[in-house]
Amino acid sequence: MSNSQNKIKKFEDEGLILTSRGLEKIRESHLNPDEIIEKAKEKNMWLLSDEFIIEYIQLKDKPVKKTKKIVAKENDSQLEIDENFDVTGKSTCEGKIEDFLDYFNQRYENTKKILLNRPTMRSAIPINILKKQSKSIDLSFVGMVSDKRESKRGFKFLDLEDPTGEIRVLISKDSRELNDLFDNILLDEVIGVEGRIHNDLFIAKTIYQPDLPINHKTNTSPEEVSAALISDIHVGSYLFLEKEFSSFIDCLKLNGNKENKDIFEKIKYVVVAGDLVDGVGIYPNQEKELSIPDIYKQYDFLASLLSEVPDHIEVILCMGNHDAVRLSEPQTRLDKDIGAPLYDLPNVHVLGNPAMISMHGVKTLVYHGASLDGIIGSLARCTYSRPEIAMVEYLKRRYLAPSYGKANIAPEKNDYLFIEEIPDIFHCGHVHTNGYMNYRGVKVINSGTFQARTSYQEEQGHMPTPGRVPVINLQSHEVSMVHFYDE
Ligand code: FE
Ligand code: ZN
């Protein structure tokens, strides 16, 4: 077999289709087919367009800049903070019935807009009209899941609502795919359903989650700078790994381990996804586990540690359930009074939770992830050891904290938890285990922790992964994992 036939076969074996022009381009440029195949898989592509191949060749041909200078220091910061995500001073929630109704209606309408992008959902009709339709035609509608049940005889039902009414949906036993989807449905999520009406029942043929489009184009930085992603520092806890955290800071100063110097000299941003400190009164008898029992002093100590971070690195701090702000999401940013020493640091930015930032043009959604507990508890496929899989469930639903009853949500007029804009990086913490994956072009990363295993985690059988720092290159989106704790 000739060399080019071999190449074609490789693509065929992977179920990928090439155009003859694309194949010619690959032949001319002597590209390695394995690399292209990997890239295509990463992007969930099966038809490799000419544009994709040409773009890939151009990327490969770019001369690699070899400089001896400190890259991050040479580059001005390009940090943008999306103020629309910040609820501080804008909270409208008073806990009134209307607040809840507005919240659910808004969430329904937002998600519906995404679902209606699907060709089969375009003719979706309101539930009250749906109920009056004839039996013999295919119909579709969008509803919020209010109940999910399985009867003794093994029939699976969903109760769905929209602003006009409610309807019971039967999941046919025959479709394996539909049954798998049923198992993965969370209460309160908004889905699209296609099927037929039969008396008062709707027989589902297909269920859609809003999800991410498969052809989403991600943003990359023109400069080769990186971001270190961390979370759950828990300053003030006896189990805070101060030595390990300090050696991380040393590395940022390029005083640390020489091996990792090429990684650290590119770091322009450090993003912390909440639980900056251990807090006080978070759980019963917490005081026994605190080395710093005063909340002000916990933040003071954090500020003194962060004051060592070189000025050319931007530090972005988001809130978590251990921080001294309201527990309900969206969380406001730390009070200027409590966090004064942090606000005094020129390169530190204190944000709420969630937050949307752009670093050198790369959009990053930061969310602490307190509702990961609810997702892991509800869905069989999600575990504490692979938090990135549970994080994908947020993206599929385009919503942070999808189950109202399993999260702590303040019903605000603006829905801060709705994932309208698709991020390039999605960063969570909270579960204290590190993990990452690609999902439809988005880098999904849980950063782990700088706290050693707690007795609570021991009781629960959770195995945290302390002292791991994922560093993402904002140009190539490649992730390097740096370890600061001997496991
Ligand atoms: Fe935590
Ligand atoms: Zn947490």
Side-chain angles (χ1 to χ4, degrees):
M1 215 188 282
S2 77
N3 197 7
S4 66
Q5 274 172 320
N6 252 331
K7 281 188 183 173
I8 303 174
K9 187 155 186 332
K10 273 200 170 167
F11 284 95
E12 276 177 2
D13 289 347
E14 298 289 342
L16 298 173
I17 295 171
L18 270 174
T19 65
S20 55
R21 187 152 164 256
L23 180 70
E24 207 172 290
K25 286 275 169 207
I26 292 172
R27 224 183 278 150
E28 278 169 13
S29 58
H30 305 286
L31 282 177
N32 178 358
D34 295 331
E35 279 179 39
I36 306 172
I37 289 169
E38 196 182 310
K39 195 90 210 152
K41 279 185 167 173
E42 224 173 75
K43 299 197 164 196
N44 283 307
M45 295 175 89
W46 59 274
L47 178 68
L48 305 189
S49 64
D50 297 347
E51 293 80 48
F52 168 76
I53 304 280
I54 290 162
E55 206 177 288
Y56 188 80
I57 292 169
Q58 280 165 351
L59 192 80
K60 280 277 149 183
D61 285 348
K62 251 187 224 161
V64 182
K65 273 184 245 158
K66 279 255 184 284
T67 71
K68 285 235 154 62
K69 293 160 201 156
I70 300 168
V71 185
K73 220 174 183 172
E74 297 274 295
N75 273 289
D76 284 342
S77 143
Q78 291 176 34
L79 174 69
E80 280 166 41
I81 294 161
D82 188 341
E83 295 298 332
N84 292 327
F85 268 75
D86 184 22
V87 69
T88 313
K90 294 185 262 181
S91 175
T92 55
C93 157
E94 296 170 37
K96 286 188 197 151
I97 282 284
E98 301 92 84
D99 291 339
F100 291 93
L101 291 177
D102 285 352
Y103 166 77
F104 281 113
N105 276 335
Q106 180 192 201
R107 188 174 152 188
Y108 172 83
E109 294 298 337
N110 283 338
T111 322
K112 184 176 161 184
K113 259 184 226 148
I114 299 178
L115 282 161
L116 293 193
N117 286 329
R118 289 176 184 272
T120 44
M121 287 304 299
R122 267 180 210 146
S123 49
I125 49 175
I127 289 176
N128 62 345
I129 296 178
L130 183 80
K131 284 176 153 175
K132 292 177 198 145
Q133 301 300 306
S134 75
K135 287 179 186 180
S136 53
I137 48 165
D138 280 349
L139 299 162
S140 65
F141 72 100
V142 175
M144 186 178 266
V145 179
S146 60
D147 199 12
K148 175 182 165 179
R149 269 171 313 102
E150 207 174 325
S151 77
K152 281 191 191 120
R153 285 160 56 206
F155 289 105
K156 291 173 175 175
F157 297 99
L158 291 172
D159 285 346
L160 290 178
E161 286 177 12
D162 78 358
T164 70
E166 50 190 347
I167 193 157
R168 182 153 296 172
V169 175
L170 172 70
I171 307 298
S172 150
K173 276 185 180 175
D174 318 326
S175 162
R176 172 84 190 274
E177 202 193 334
L178 209 52
N179 278 273
D180 287 349
L181 254 164
F182 174 89
D183 294 339
N184 208 35
I185 294 284
L186 292 170
L187 287 186
D188 306 324
E189 74 169 287
V190 178
I191 54 176
V193 189
E194 214 192 325
R196 287 186 179 196
I197 196 112
H198 185 80
N199 297 331
D200 275 344
L201 210 56
F202 193 84
I203 321 287
K205 266 191 196 163
T206 321
I207 290 177
Y208 299 105
Q209 288 176 310
D211 217 325
L212 303 182
I214 44 177
N215 53 0
H216 172 64
K217 225 174 152 5
T218 46
N219 301 296
T220 52
S221 161
E223 268 88 43
E224 197 182 7
V225 291
S226 304
L229 308 182
I230 63 169
S231 64
D232 301 271
I233 315 176
H234 289 265
V235 170
S237 155
Y238 274 120
L239 298 169
F240 163 50
L241 297 167
E242 188 184 332
K243 196 182 95 214
E244 287 77 2
F245 190 74
S246 298
S247 52
F248 164 61
I249 306 270
D250 276 344
C251 282
L252 293 174
K253 291 155 82 177
L254 304 181
N255 289 341
N257 199 334
K258 280 213 177 74
E259 256 175 69
N260 293 323
K261 210 165 186 165
D262 56 325
I263 296 175
F264 280 90
E265 65 184 9
K266 292 183 191 120
I267 294 180
K268 189 75 204 164
Y269 308 94
V270 173
V271 185
V272 192
D275 283 2
L276 308 178
V277 299
D278 205 50
V280 293
I282 306 291
Y283 54 88
N285 295 319
Q286 188 190 15
E287 57 282 2
K288 289 178 194 152
E289 296 175 23
L290 293 178
S291 59
I292 309 172
D294 179 312
I295 187 75
Y296 286 85
K297 291 196 175 127
Q298 290 181 2
Y299 285 109
D300 285 357
F301 188 46
L302 174 68
S304 74
L305 292 166
L306 292 179
S307 67
E308 293 289 312
V309 175
D311 281 348
H312 72 268
I313 299 177
E314 304 273 19
V315 180
I316 298 101
L317 304 177
C318 301
M319 300 293 118
N321 58 312
H322 280 255
D323 288 295
V325 292
R326 75 174 190 189
L327 193 57
S328 306
E329 295 170 3
Q331 291 183 289
T332 50
R333 48 178 86 175
L334 192 65
D335 210 81
K336 288 222 165 91
D337 169 40
I338 302 178
L342 289 170
Y343 282 95
D344 286 345
L345 297 172
N347 54 336
V348 168
H349 309 264
V350 182
L351 308 183
N353 170 48
M356 181 71 108
I357 58 172
S358 161
M359 302 182 283
H360 266 75
V362 178
K363 302 250 182 240
T364 303
L365 175 60
V366 192
Y367 171 60
H368 179 61
S371 65
L372 281 170
D373 294 321
I375 291 195
I376 293 168
S378 308
L379 301 180
R381 68 160 82 148
C382 297
T383 60
Y384 280 100
S385 56
R386 298 283 308 275
E388 68 278 20
I389 292 175
M391 285 170 69
V392 168
E393 300 299 328
Y394 292 133
L395 296 178
K396 284 185 181 168
R397 292 165 179 83
R398 302 290 287 265
Y399 208 79
L400 305 167
S403 285
Y404 185 84
K406 298 225 178 226
N408 219 318
I409 298 172
E412 297 290 349
K413 275 233 154 49
N414 283 326
D415 196 349
Y416 298 83
L417 303 171
F418 171 55
I419 307 174
E420 180 168 23
E421 191 180 4
I422 301 168
D424 303 307
I425 301 172
F426 178 35
H427 174 205
C428 288
H430 186 63
V431 293
H432 294 210
T433 35
N434 159 255
Y436 70 97
M437 68 184 284
N438 276 329
Y439 182 70
R440 300 197 167 180
V442 180
K443 270 279 186 299
V444 176
I445 306 178
N446 197 299
S447 44
T449 182
F450 269 97
Q451 187 186 37
R453 196 182 195 200
T454 65
S455 51
Y456 175 77
Q457 287 161 346
E458 240 166 88
E459 277 165 38
Q460 302 285 313
H462 295 170
M463 216 44 208
T465 59
R468 289 189 196 172
V469 177
V471 179
I472 180 159
N473 182 317
L474 298 175
Q475 189 171 56
S476 66
H477 289 199
E478 245 162 66
V479 178
S480 316
M481 201 61 67
V482 189
H483 294 244
F484 288 94
Y485 185 72
D486 292 325
E487 289 166 50

